[in-house]
Amino acid sequence: NKTRIIYLTAKVQGFADFIISLPKIETKADQIIKIPVKLEKFDNFILSKIDSIYLDLVFHTKLLKPLSGFNRIDRINNNSIINLEYSNTIDKDSILGYIEFYTSLGDTNHSDLIISSTNTIGSIPIEFEINNGWVKVNDIHSPIDSYIDTELLINSPNPADYFTDIIFYTAESGRHRLYLVNILGIKVADCFDQDIKSGKQTVKCKLNHLPIGTYIYVLETPSEKFYKKMIIQR
């Protein structure tokens, strides 16, 4: 299940002072991956004259959830644009920096990584050439249906008495937990805690040890939490 990283081969052209490459990555779902942004070609003298390099990176939001390495995210029509700023300190492998993502499954298993624009702050103008990459996500278990969204439904019956059924749909594979908290936020009952595939789940939750009142049931997926109100009445 190791992430395999393949760097793009740079096409060195005379007019380009810098060639920036994003990798091709093939990984599994429900993983945290670090994507390097690499300088394949650069001029040390010119680099010393630059204070910062700014990059705009576009990717598909349902496949990659950004965790670090970015300043701002603008969500536009299922895309996110990350504004990256790197100083002129570069490590020995010519890595400008890393962007950390959580990989999930949406309506595709492939996402292009596109540097849409570059800008620099420094004393001289420079020319960039960009080699864009992509991320392919393979499900650990089986592909999900593209129409599935994670959703927590209202329990039945509600008001409940000694038992209740809770249905949820999940678009993720991995550990899912379902539990109850009281109005003070204290957990009072565990209903479900399993590693599951994406799809529909029906959970029967025992309530006979709980007093009447209002409770919140919480669905915790690998990446999100969902909440619904429940009333126990006898």
Side-chain angles (χ1 to χ4, degrees):
N1 292 337
K2 290 184 177 180
T3 299
R4 180 166 59 88
I5 299 178
I6 304 172
Y7 282 103
L8 300 177
T9 301
K11 296 180 180 178
V12 179
Q13 299 181 11
F15 66 84
D17 299 312
F18 293 90
I19 295 179
I20 299 176
S21 286
L22 287 164
K24 292 183 177 180
I25 294 178
E26 186 168 345
T27 183
K28 300 290 185 183
D30 306 323
Q31 303 291 312
I32 294 176
I33 60 174
K34 291 178 70 175
I35 297 179
V37 181
K38 185 174 183 181
L39 274 181
E40 295 285 357
K41 175 203 172 187
F42 60 96
D43 186 306
N44 279 309
F45 172 75
I46 295 177
L47 190 66
S48 68
K49 304 296 182 181
I50 298 171
D51 297 323
S52 297
I53 299 174
Y54 295 87
L55 306 174
D56 285 345
L57 176 63
V58 181
F59 65 98
H60 194 282
T61 58
K62 287 193 174 182
L63 186 64
L64 300 173
K65 179 180 179 182
L67 300 177
S68 65
F70 57 92
N71 295 331
R72 189 183 81 241
I73 303 175
D74 298 321
R75 300 192 182 278
I76 305 173
N77 298 326
N78 264 351
N79 285 330
S80 284
I81 300 174
I82 298 181
N83 304 119
L84 302 166
E85 177 185 349
Y86 295 107
S87 68
N88 57 17
T89 302
I90 298 177
D91 67 17
K92 61 182 176 62
D93 295 318
S94 305
I95 302 295
L96 282 170
Y98 294 89
I99 313 159
E100 194 173 42
F101 292 100
Y102 174 80
T103 62
S104 59
L105 290 172
D107 55 5
T108 180
N109 74 331
H110 181 279
S111 180
D112 290 327
L113 296 172
I114 302 171
I115 297 177
S116 61
S117 64
T118 61
N119 191 18
T120 60
I121 293 179
S123 58
I124 57 175
I126 64 171
E127 296 288 340
F128 284 103
E129 179 182 331
I130 306 300
N131 287 325
N132 294 313
W134 50 260
V135 173
K136 181 179 180 182
V137 177
N138 302 308
D139 192 4
I140 297 173
H141 303 290
S142 59
I144 67 169
D145 294 328
S146 61
Y147 63 85
I148 292 179
D149 287 323
T150 301
E151 183 180 8
L152 179 61
L153 302 185
I154 297 174
N155 64 297
S156 178
N158 191 10
D161 44 26
Y162 299 99
F163 295 91
T164 192
D165 290 328
I166 301 173
I167 296 174
F168 67 87
Y169 295 86
T170 178
E172 297 182 75
S173 298
R175 186 184 181 188
H176 287 65
R177 300 174 60 209
L178 184 65
Y179 53 89
L180 270 65
V181 299
N182 61 22
I183 58 175
L184 299 177
I186 300 171
K187 186 167 71 171
V188 294
D190 287 302
C191 299
F192 185 86
D193 187 350
Q194 292 183 27
D195 284 331
I196 58 173
K197 300 178 183 179
S198 60
K200 177 183 177 182
Q201 296 288 329
T202 301
V203 178
K204 184 174 287 293
C205 193
K206 295 181 180 180
L207 309 173
N208 55 329
H209 64 294
L210 297 175
I212 61 174
T214 301
Y215 296 85
I216 303 295
Y217 55 100
V218 184
L219 172 63
E220 188 174 311
T221 76
S223 63
E224 295 181 272
K225 287 184 179 181
F226 300 84
Y227 306 87
K228 282 284 191 297
K229 184 170 72 172
M230 173 195 302
I231 297 174
I232 297 178
Q233 180 177 298
R234 302 186 180 103

